Structure formats: structure tokens, C-alpha cells
Amino acid sequence: MKDVSVPGLAGKLAVVTGASDGIGLGLAVRLARAGAELVLPVRDRAKGEAAAARVRAAAPGAVVALADLDLAALDSVAALAAGLTAEGRPVHILVNNAGVMAPATRHTTADGLELQFGVNHIGHMALVGRLLPLLRAGRARVTTMSSSAARMGSIDWADLQSERKYSPIASYNLSKLANLMFGLELDRRGRAAGWEIVSNVAHPGTTLTHLYAYGPNLGRTRPSRQESVMRRLARLGLFVQTVDRGLLPALYAATSPLAGGGRFYGPDGLGQFTGDPVELAVYRRARDQAAAARLWDVSARLAGVDFGD
């Protein structure tokens, strides 16, 4: 099985959301081992401190800073961006990795957005928009994490926030389709406007993380069986891979000079569940550039950001 060869990243600043555990933490370790300095924006400080300690243990001498971020609150996104802007350091790598998956009942963000759409897509779009000057200064690589679930995603323009009808899986699929369309549209607009950033998208296949426990248990009185099923499949070696494997497409997208902008990376195995990292064909609905432009405009308004494009 292939690994990803990461170039030296000494002097580079990398920001990874959702790095308290799972794929985000694994990515942080690999970036730190290559010499990158890290900012890990976290919602839970205690989990963040534990994650930073794990990064330092795996990469002795790593420079790791924590910052507060709740992607379910646009004020928190703005505060993080303001803090980084005040420091003035260019950002060279941004990985939009944090997310929530399939709460059993509809939840909303602090700004009244459906939780999955708000956290997975709008929060990250707001972060990119507010960090754009630092990303441009660093000629950054921006990698947004999608999912193979984006294949099943569809946009109901009349019910974008799932207010009329909420389905845990359909809303997740929509958020991941939005991630994919955003990452590709960001590259198109960046090239047209001369931003000198590279934006691409990755997905981890089916990777065993706490995502399968946290989200599905929101709104339940009894624990979801989803995590236990995933653990059983992982033990059998069926359709589920470890974090060390699942992070590879995003690691390649975020660091390899061969990973282009406007591209989509994921595992090459059956059904894209597991496998080595490769460039994938963009899913059909995400190829609709008119829909991507419309989603960009709607989402930028919801995010409260102006890209000046």
C-alpha cells in the first residue's frame, strides 16, 4: 500500500480544523513531522491540549499552537480569523477538515443554520473568506474535506436548511456536496482573480473515527449502532480503513506539488471505501458550474463574507 511522501515544510504555517482527534489529528502529526508549524483551532480546549501533546510526542520539537474555534458560530470564526490576521503570518496550508455527521434530529447553529450545512460548509467558507489575505500572502494550498456521500447529495434550493423536511443522511450528503462544489469553485474564482492559491478537495473513504459516534448520537435517547457496526467491519477488514490510511488523500492534496487545484482526491478501492490515494473523477452534480456559482453566492451571504471577486 502506498504512503504519501511529504516535502519539507520548515517555515510553513498550517491550519487544520478538527484536529482534536481522528483524521485532523493524524494530518497534524504528518505535517509537524515534515517541519510545518501548526495552528489547531479547537472547540474543546481540553481535547485540544491532549491533541497538541500527541503531536509533540510524535514530532519532537514541533511548534503547535491552539486557538478557539466553534464552526457552529460565525462570531467564533470571525474571532479566530481576527486573531490570526493580527499576528500577520501568512498561512501556507489550510485543511478544512472538521465536521459533524447525521444527527438523528435537526439541530441548528448559533446563527440558525442547519447544523451539518452550517458547520461542514458555511463555517469553513466563512473561515476561508476571512483568512483570504493571509492565504494569498502564503500562496496557500487549501484542501477541503468532502466525502463519497457527496455522490448522493442534491440541492433543494427551496429548502436548503432542511426546515420543511429533515433527513440526517440527506442533509449530510448535501453538506458534503457543498464542500466539494465550494473547493472547486474556490479554485476557479482564485485563478480568475489572480489570488495565487491552490484549492482542491479530498475525501477519506470510510475511515473509522469518532464522527460515527458523535453526530449520530445527537438527539437520541439510545446510542446509535453505527459506531459498533463500523468497528466490527474494521476488525473484519471490510470496507473500513484506519485513520493512517484515510488521511492520505488529504495529505497528498495539501502538500504534494503534483496535486493540482480544482482536483478531487480519494481512495482507489472498490466503491472508494478504502485504498491508495488517487485523483478521482468529480461527481456528476458537482460538475454543474452554474449550480456551484449559485451556491457560492447564497453561501457567502449566509457566511457573512465578501471575497471581493
Side-chain angles (χ1 to χ4, degrees), residues 73-107:
L74 292 174
D75 284 350
S76 177
V77 177
L80 169 67
L84 292 174
T85 299
E87 293 176 11
R89 287 196 60 189
V91 174
H92 303 94
I93 295 172
L94 172 62
V95 183
N96 296 319
N97 165 75
V100 63
M101 184 180 74
T105 57
R106 186 179 183 273
H107 294 254

Side-chain angles (χ1 to χ4, degrees), residues 23-289:
I23 287 174
L25 176 55
L27 285 168
V29 168
R30 293 294 301 267
L31 294 172
R33 283 176 174 165
E37 298 181 33
L38 297 175
V39 173
L40 306 183
V42 296
R43 187 168 56 90
D44 184 322
R45 271 277 169 165
K47 288 181 66 176
E49 293 287 359
R54 289 180 62 180
V55 173
R56 295 185 187 107
V63 178
V64 185
L66 297 180
D68 295 316
L69 175 63
D70 182 355
L71 285 162
L74 292 174
D75 284 350
S76 177
V77 177
L80 169 67
L84 292 174
T85 299
E87 293 176 11
R89 287 196 60 189
V91 174
H92 303 94
I93 295 172
L94 172 62
V95 183
N96 296 319
N97 165 75
V100 63
M101 184 180 74
T105 57
R106 186 179 183 273
H107 294 254
T108 56
T109 69
D111 306 284
L113 305 174
E114 189 278 317
L115 185 66
Q116 297 178 90
F117 189 77
V119 168
N120 299 353
H121 171 53
I122 297 297
H124 280 119
M125 185 174 191
L127 182 62
V128 172
R130 293 187 180 279
L131 290 182
L132 188 58
L134 298 183
L135 296 170
R136 293 187 62 185
R139 296 186 175 182
R141 303 184 70 87
V142 179
T143 296
T144 300
M145 192 71 81
S146 183
S147 165
S148 59
R151 280 180 292 195
M152 283 72 75
S154 62
I155 301 175
D156 181 350
W157 297 105
D159 192 25
L160 201 57
Q161 301 298 321
S162 305
E163 294 172 292
R164 298 177 187 173
K165 181 180 179 182
Y166 175 75
S167 161
I169 298 302
S171 293
Y172 180 70
N173 295 348
L174 166 61
S175 75
K176 293 289 103 178
L177 175 61
N179 285 150
L180 178 53
M181 295 174 80
F182 166 70
L184 301 179
E185 184 71 5
L186 177 62
D187 195 74
R188 282 192 288 268
R189 294 186 180 230
R191 282 187 281 109
W195 292 341
E196 295 188 281
I197 64 174
V198 172
S199 173
N200 54 30
V201 186
H203 89 74
T206 307
T207 300
L208 183 59
T209 71
H210 290 146
L211 194 68
Y212 291 95
Y214 174 71
N217 285 323
L218 283 173
R220 286 186 182 272
T221 56
R222 295 182 179 180
S224 167
R225 295 183 63 247
Q226 194 163 2
E227 185 184 27
S228 63
V229 170
M230 293 292 292
R231 290 191 179 280
R232 190 174 302 118
L233 289 173
R235 286 195 296 271
L236 295 172
L238 297 173
F239 308 121
V240 180
Q241 61 188 1
T242 63
V243 167
D244 286 346
R245 299 297 305 168
L247 64 81
L248 293 181
L251 182 66
Y252 179 80
T255 65
S256 175
L258 300 178
R263 307 292 178 85
F264 183 35
Y265 299 94
D268 66 354
L270 176 67
Q272 300 177 8
F273 294 114
T274 64
D276 293 330
V278 295
E279 183 179 344
L280 302 173
V282 174
Y283 303 144
R284 179 180 58 84
R285 285 175 176 152
R287 295 198 295 267
D288 185 338
Q289 292 189 23

